[in-house]
Amino acid sequence: MEVIIRDSAEAGCVLGAKILASVIREKPAAVIGLATGRTPLRLYQELIRLHREDGLDFSQVTTFNLDEYVGLAGTHVQSYRYFMQENLFRHINIDLTRTHVPNGIAIDLHVECRAYEEKIIAAGGIDLQLLGLGRNGHIGFNEPTGSLRSRTWIKILSEQTLRDNSDVFGSMDLMPKHALTMGVGTILDARRCLLLAFGPAKVRAVEHMVEGPLAAICPGSALQLHPRATVILDENSAAGLRYADHYRWVDRNKFAWQRHG
Ligand code: F6R
């Protein structure tokens, strides 16, 4: 796992956008896995800037989002489809027919989950999967103790996750308690993973994900098995890492071709 510590979330997001943009420049028809939540917002703003000012071209890019709430249509303001539309898609030249978010109002959710997996395979697999990290160590909506080999499925959100995400819904009671999410196995199949985690609330989860045992209690720790996972942190989220100085040392001593910027 490549661990990069930046002074601020701002610097981390700019770096994350740079990595994502380099994947698209190298392969204009790249397949990118996307995340929602607070963490990638600044990264999406930077991608929009790169599109407007540097001509970053999304016209051939295909995207697959990690997850969606069960019961919310894509037009619902709290749905993840709506989030993507507002925070990224409508600002760039992406072909919306190439953007995929699980359908939370599908008549048969099991069929929807299987179809989502099949669509990822048909697109040639995911080149780079962007991820955030839940305070409880979840990736996608794969909550602690779920299978580390899971595929896209219906997951029940933990009380911690409901509490963390309820502000936008007004109260926990108004929040869907279920989500469709790529499984941990689906995420690990991506050719590259790029996880961003910032702020003091993520310290414990980051510590376990990077240095703790590989364990279903922290689904993010499954990234320890991934051959090409990059984790971008800020000083706050990295505060609990025993080997922080080692990661900084490695960062300073990379060959030019190993640097992201
Ligand atoms: C979002 C997702 C979640 C979030 C995680 C962190 O699509 O899959 O795993 O990445 O809950 O959320 P924030 O970024 O709001 O702290």
Side-chain angles (χ1 to χ4, degrees):
M1 188 185 289
E2 179 187 33
V3 180
I4 301 175
I5 303 168
R6 286 290 179 262
D7 290 343
S8 62
E10 161 71 18
C13 284
V14 170
L15 176 62
K18 198 168 182 178
I19 293 172
L20 216 147
S22 72
V23 170
I24 295 172
R25 288 205 168 100
E26 229 166 78
K27 184 178 176 186
V31 179
I32 305 291
L34 296 173
T36 60
R38 287 153 284 231
T39 309
L41 279 173
R42 177 69 188 92
L43 182 150
Y44 290 149
Q45 286 167 8
E46 182 62 11
L47 284 182
I48 294 164
R49 190 192 69 75
L50 289 171
H51 167 64
R52 289 187 179 149
E53 295 175 17
D54 287 353
L56 183 62
D57 179 16
F58 290 86
S59 62
Q60 296 179 61
V61 169
T62 296
T63 65
F64 286 91
N65 263 79
L66 283 165
D67 38 24
E68 180 60 282
Y69 290 114
V70 168
L72 299 194
T75 49
H76 191 289
V77 289
Q78 310 304 352
S79 74
Y80 284 167
R81 161 60 76 178
Y82 191 90
F83 175 102
M84 291 312 304
Q85 187 61 24
E86 285 303 301
N87 292 297
L88 183 64
F89 297 156
R90 75 184 181 88
H91 305 284
I92 57 176
N93 67 333
I94 198 157
D95 174 354
L96 283 180
T97 63
R98 289 185 203 267
T99 65
H100 304 87
V101 182
N103 178 7
I105 55 163
I107 293 174
D108 188 330
L109 295 173
H110 295 168
V111 169
E112 171 65 15
C113 291
R114 277 196 298 274
Y116 205 65
E117 289 276 328
E118 279 159 19
K119 276 186 228 166
I120 293 173
I121 292 167
I126 292 174
D127 291 302
L128 181 140
Q129 176 66 52
L130 182 64
L131 297 160
L133 183 68
R135 191 206 290 252
N136 63 4
H138 72 217
I139 48 174
F141 272 138
N142 297 283
E143 300 286 30
T145 73
S147 162
L148 295 183
R149 295 186 65 178
S150 56
R151 312 301 309 185
T152 301
W153 204 236
I154 307 150
K155 296 279 154 71
I156 301 171
L157 304 179
S158 70
E159 287 182 276
Q160 166 88 69
T161 299
L162 291 172
R163 269 196 299 276
D164 288 347
N165 292 1
S166 60
D167 48 340
V168 289
F169 286 89
S171 95
M172 244 169 91
D173 295 338
L174 299 173
M175 257 193 95
K177 309 282 183 294
H178 303 83
L180 302 185
T181 179
M182 283 186 200
V184 178
T186 320
I187 292 167
L188 291 182
D189 280 351
R191 285 184 271 280
R192 270 178 91 169
C193 285
L194 174 63
L195 184 143
L196 271 54
F198 306 121
K202 304 289 171 75
V203 170
R204 285 245 102 81
V206 164
E207 205 181 329
H208 191 160
M209 171 183 67
V210 177
E211 296 177 341
L214 169 61
I217 194 87
C218 177
S221 69
L223 290 183
Q224 293 174 20
L225 288 174
H226 196 281
R228 213 170 167 206
T230 299
V231 171
I232 302 180
L233 309 172
D234 66 353
E235 293 291 349
N236 290 320
S237 62
L241 293 175
R242 280 175 64 198
Y243 292 89
D245 285 342
H246 169 67
Y247 310 131
R248 292 193 185 93
W249 163 261
V250 169
D251 207 19
R252 282 199 300 274
N253 287 285
K254 281 175 181 161
F255 288 117
W257 55 267
Q258 288 176 311
R259 290 184 192 284
H260 305 292

